[in-house]
Amino acid sequence: EAQVTQNPRYLITVTGKKLTVTCSQNMNHEYMSWYRQDPGLGLRQIYYSMNVEVTDKGDVPEGYKVSRKEKRNFPLILESPSPNQTSLYFCASSFSRGNTEAFFGQGTRLTVV
Amino acid sequence: ILNVEQSPQSLHVQEGDSTNFTCSFPSSNFYALHWYRWETAKSPEALFVMTLNGDEKKKGQISATLNTKEGYSYLYIKGSQPEDSATYLCAPMNYGGSQGNLIFGKGTKLSVKP
């Protein structure tokens, strides 16, 4: 089954404790991205990757890192999480950058206390 | 960053009603327009990807039109059912540089009462 898998689904952590949210897709998609969803705002892009070893900042990259060592995986790293990073996070992948549909992971609900 | 406006913000209709929403976006350097359906506690799912001015797409009772010259897209639902209750997101994309990514609107939340 074609899918984007995120882990964990839920996470409560403390300020400053490094964490990684994993994202994996099995559709051989080149384009992957991370979004955050906050109340009253649309999905906002954090980082994106056009292909292996090619990553770039989205609209709200501060406090996040990503890597794309393999085509299927695109982890999101929070080196020192802060409460303002409490949010719902989605990973998405698509065959190309904008003219093909995006497939979303199940979402990760992160709370930083 | 693109300014994407969706209206209305929310909509309550009765089962069987037909409804429509609007997505407005800057028309310059248009590349593509996506519509997604997002049910509560689930992930957004793609409905349509539209690229041509005048494009019209249909999936079941849901259809969408696109006007790239004036910068808007309409989503129509004919004969709404309770299972159509969801938030509908539009996401345009323009050419070039940092604008070359999908920018999501805040969505229109549809509630269909039985």
Side-chain angles (χ1 to χ4, degrees), chain B residues 27-75:
Chain B
S27 56
S28 59
N29 300 320
F30 175 84
Y31 184 68
L33 188 286
H34 293 218
W35 280 101
Y36 290 84
R37 181 172 177 274
W38 189 5
E39 289 183 70
T40 302
K42 294 189 177 180
S43 311
E45 291 183 346
L47 287 171
F48 307 112
V49 178
M50 308 172 81
T51 57
L52 300 175
N53 183 46
D55 217 358
E56 189 168 335
K57 297 212 170 184
K58 188 174 181 180
K59 184 183 285 189
Q61 297 299 97
I62 304 177
S63 60
T65 61
L66 176 65
N67 184 321
T68 62
K69 296 189 186 307
E70 296 181 43
Y72 64 84
S73 176
Y74 294 139
L75 188 79

Side-chain angles (χ1 to χ4, degrees), chain A residues 11-15 19 36-39 41 44 64 78 80-89 108-113:
Chain A
L11 180 60
I12 301 174
T13 190
V14 296
T15 299
L19 67 92
R36 60 178 289 173
Q37 169 68 46
D38 300 293
L41 300 175
R44 293 181 294 166
Y64 304 95
L78 285 72
S80 182
S82 61
N84 64 12
Q85 292 178 297
T86 293
S87 188
L88 176 61
Y89 292 86
T108 296
R109 174 76 65 182
L110 173 65
T111 302
V112 184
V113 298

